[in-house]
Amino acid sequence: PDSMKIKVKDSLGLEYFSGSYAEFVTFGLFSKVTSSSTYTCRIEASWDDKGTLCCGKAVYELKLNVDFDPPGSFWISADTVEGGGFVVLSGKHIIDKDSIEVSSIPALGITPKFFTDGEYIRAILPIGVGNTKDDIIYQVKVTYDGIYTDFTIKSNKPKTATRDYNHSGLVNTSARTESNLAAFKKFITSPKYEETVYRSSTFVAPSSGSIRASFGDTINNTSSSKDKFTSAGMAFVYYLNSANGDKNDVEACLAGMVVAVGETKYGGNTVVVDHGLGLRSVYYCLGSVEVAVGTIVNPGDKIANGCAKKGYTDGETCYIEFWVGDTPVSYRSLESVGFGVNFGEEPKA
């Protein structure tokens, strides 16, 4: 047609637009829609070639069902983290989470796995794994549906120490082999990951026993120059209670579901608790285990009774580690805010 007049009314019958087709395009009518709705549209068209078949007028009345499909948006829980810790990457209005691409300079060394959390999707990004010396700046790019979002995350030098112990005749160093560690990782990662996010408002230390080593500490066995390794979690010392002979309880740090219970050559009696989003806590070198697969635990619930001399423990030390997939991460990312409480501030529309 040589000309078109367009009138649009909303679902209440109020005039939403009136003007020419050119004005309709310039106005970007439906780019301003913020919710799905129904509109009625009246188009008056005219053809002005008089004396020909291309002359006349027509009126079209249409019903328009407009679906609100906002672009995906992403944000992170923190822009600074201690090396070996993690941040949570959240997204909203994501239809196909498997099409999200995450890249970083320098590389993160892990492909994030996204989980659905209500109307959101979330993934844990371990930051600065293996960083023991310097502050590192990561430039992270998240790409979805042709649109990318950039984040800058700073990995601060972790708070680590070198700890010397004489483990002569106490620690079974032969259990700490690459093949045993590989079997241990398989035991941790084999069960199906929980889709439920078990929210905890507090982080509870697994025992009142003293900490023998923290995440990232270098452990030197002064009785053997060949026995040196890096702690991937907490090592708690458990001594017999002189009053009743009982050993200290090992308690759950965060809410979650027990997904694996068994014995490994590397860690002896081992319990794996899944907290959602791919985060798992692993308790090993345990004494008598007090939970079974499928048990829901809350912070402070009993996992086991002390430790046993299985795996490479000295019979007085139990261990707890947090893992994202097959990557150990620092528990210090959880101490102050818990898990599932602070996912960062959602960007405003």
Side-chain angles (χ1 to χ4, degrees):
D2 295 293
S3 66
M4 284 196 299
K5 294 181 180 179
I6 301 175
K7 289 185 179 181
V8 180
K9 294 183 179 181
D10 62 19
S11 58
L12 299 177
L14 301 176
E15 188 172 276
Y16 191 71
F17 173 83
S18 179
S20 66
Y21 176 73
E23 291 171 329
F24 177 88
V25 174
T26 303
F27 185 65
L29 180 66
F30 296 116
S31 66
K32 296 176 173 58
V33 171
T34 57
S35 62
S36 298
S37 188
T38 299
Y39 298 81
T40 56
C41 179
R42 179 183 173 90
I43 301 173
E44 296 179 359
S46 64
W47 293 261
D48 298 333
D49 295 339
K50 295 182 178 180
T52 72
L53 294 176
C54 298
C55 180
K57 295 182 179 181
V59 175
Y60 303 87
E61 292 188 346
L62 312 172
K63 180 179 285 187
L64 308 178
N65 295 314
V66 180
D67 292 328
F68 178 52
D69 184 19
S73 59
F74 296 90
W75 64 97
I76 53 177
S77 58
D79 56 14
T80 303
V81 67
E82 181 181 316
F86 61 85
V87 300
V88 178
L89 171 64
S90 297
K92 192 174 182 181
H93 306 308
I94 307 301
I95 297 174
D96 179 15
K97 65 179 185 292
D98 293 331
S99 67
I100 301 170
E101 296 180 1
V102 179
S103 59
S104 174
I105 301 176
L108 295 174
I110 187 174
T111 300
K113 179 177 175 58
F114 286 91
F115 293 83
T116 301
D117 180 25
E119 62 180 317
Y120 304 98
I121 58 97
R122 307 190 197 275
I124 295 177
L125 304 183
I127 304 294
V129 174
N131 171 30
T132 59
K133 297 181 179 180
D134 305 298
D135 293 348
I136 301 176
I137 301 297
Y138 289 83
Q139 301 293 340
V140 179
K141 175 180 285 188
V142 181
T143 305
Y144 175 72
D145 200 22
I147 300 173
Y148 64 86
T149 307
D150 289 327
F151 300 104
T152 299
I153 304 175
K154 182 180 180 182
S155 166
N156 291 329
K157 179 181 177 182
K159 303 171 185 177
T160 61
T162 299
R163 301 175 184 265
D164 297 326
Y165 293 105
N166 185 336
H167 293 321
S168 178
L170 297 176
V171 175
N172 179 17
T173 56
S174 65
R176 198 163 53 237
T177 65
E178 288 299 321
S179 61
N180 286 348
L181 177 59
F184 182 72
K185 287 184 177 181
K186 184 177 181 180
F187 180 83
I188 293 171
T189 58
S190 290
K192 183 180 178 181
Y193 281 86
E194 278 287 280
E195 290 291 341
T196 302
V197 181
Y198 293 90
R199 286 165 164 77
S200 298
S201 59
T202 55
F203 175 91
V204 176
S207 172
S208 58
S210 59
I211 297 177
R212 174 168 281 180
S214 295
F215 179 88
D217 287 353
T218 299
I219 312 300
N220 288 322
N221 185 350
T222 57
S223 63
S224 172
S225 60
K226 296 181 180 179
D227 185 27
K228 178 180 179 180
F229 71 101
T230 300
S231 171
M234 292 181 186
F236 282 86
V237 182
Y238 294 91
Y239 295 107
L240 287 172
N241 186 315
S242 58
N244 55 24
D246 291 335
K247 295 182 179 181
N248 292 330
D249 291 344
V250 184
E251 299 174 348
C253 292
L254 297 171
M257 175 184 284
V258 177
V259 292
V261 176
E263 185 175 341
T264 62
K265 291 182 179 180
Y266 181 85
N269 292 336
T270 305
V271 172
V272 181
V273 179
D274 194 311
H275 308 286
L277 306 188
L279 178 71
R280 287 177 167 175
S281 55
V282 182
Y283 308 76
Y284 61 102
C285 293
L286 302 172
S288 59
V289 175
E290 303 292 330
V291 293
V293 172
T295 302
I296 303 295
V297 295
N298 291 304
D301 286 353
K302 187 175 180 179
I303 293 286
N305 186 32
C307 58
K309 198 166 185 180
K310 294 182 178 181
Y312 63 77
T313 186
D314 57 6
E316 295 180 343
T317 310
C318 292
Y319 301 85
I320 174 176
E321 297 171 356
F322 283 91
W323 292 68
V324 176
D326 61 358
T327 302
V329 295
S330 174
Y331 60 89
R332 286 189 283 267
S333 293
L334 297 157
E335 284 186 304
S336 59
V337 298
F339 179 66
V341 176
N342 179 16
F343 285 134
E345 184 176 350
E346 183 178 337
K348 294 179 173 59

